[in-house]
Amino acid sequence: QVQLVESGGGSVQAGGSLRLSCAMYGLTSSLYHTGWFRQAPGGKDREGVASMDSEGLTTYANSAKGRFTISLDNAKNTLYLQMNSLKPEDTAVYYCAVDFRSSSWYSLSANEYKYWGQGTQVTVSS
C-alpha cells in the first residue's frame, strides 16, 4: 500500500525559505513520477508546482521557476521541495503525489496522480 507522509510546512516571512519533505512508503515500481501541488485558501483546484520523472527530469510551474527545487533522495525514498524567496501568494496547503507508469513521465496535472499525501500548510506573511 502506497503511503505518503509530508512534513516541513510552517509560517515564514516573505523572502524566507522552507523545505518540504515527503516520505514515500510501499512503492511497487521504480517507474514512478512525483509531484508537488498546492491549494490556496478558498481555491477550488490543486495547482501543480513541480514534477519529477523516474529519470530525474523535472518541470516547474512558471510561478515556481527559479525559486523552487524538487529533488529525490532514493536511499531514503523521500521527496523534497526546497522553496526560496517565498511570497505571500505562495500561501497554501502543499501536497506531494506519486503514480506509476510503464515509461518515464512527469506532469503538473493533478489528474495524473493516484496517491497523495495529507498536505502541509505553508503560510507566508508580508
Side-chain angles (χ1 to χ4, degrees), residues 17-49:
S17 298
L18 282 173
R19 188 178 78 159
L20 307 182
S21 299
C22 174
M24 302 182 291
Y25 303 96
L27 299 177
T28 55
S29 168
S30 61
L31 288 176
Y32 59 86
H33 49 284
T34 58
W36 285 98
F37 293 78
R38 66 187 182 186
Q39 191 162 12
K44 184 178 179 181
D45 299 319
R46 291 183 183 180
E47 174 195 11
V49 174

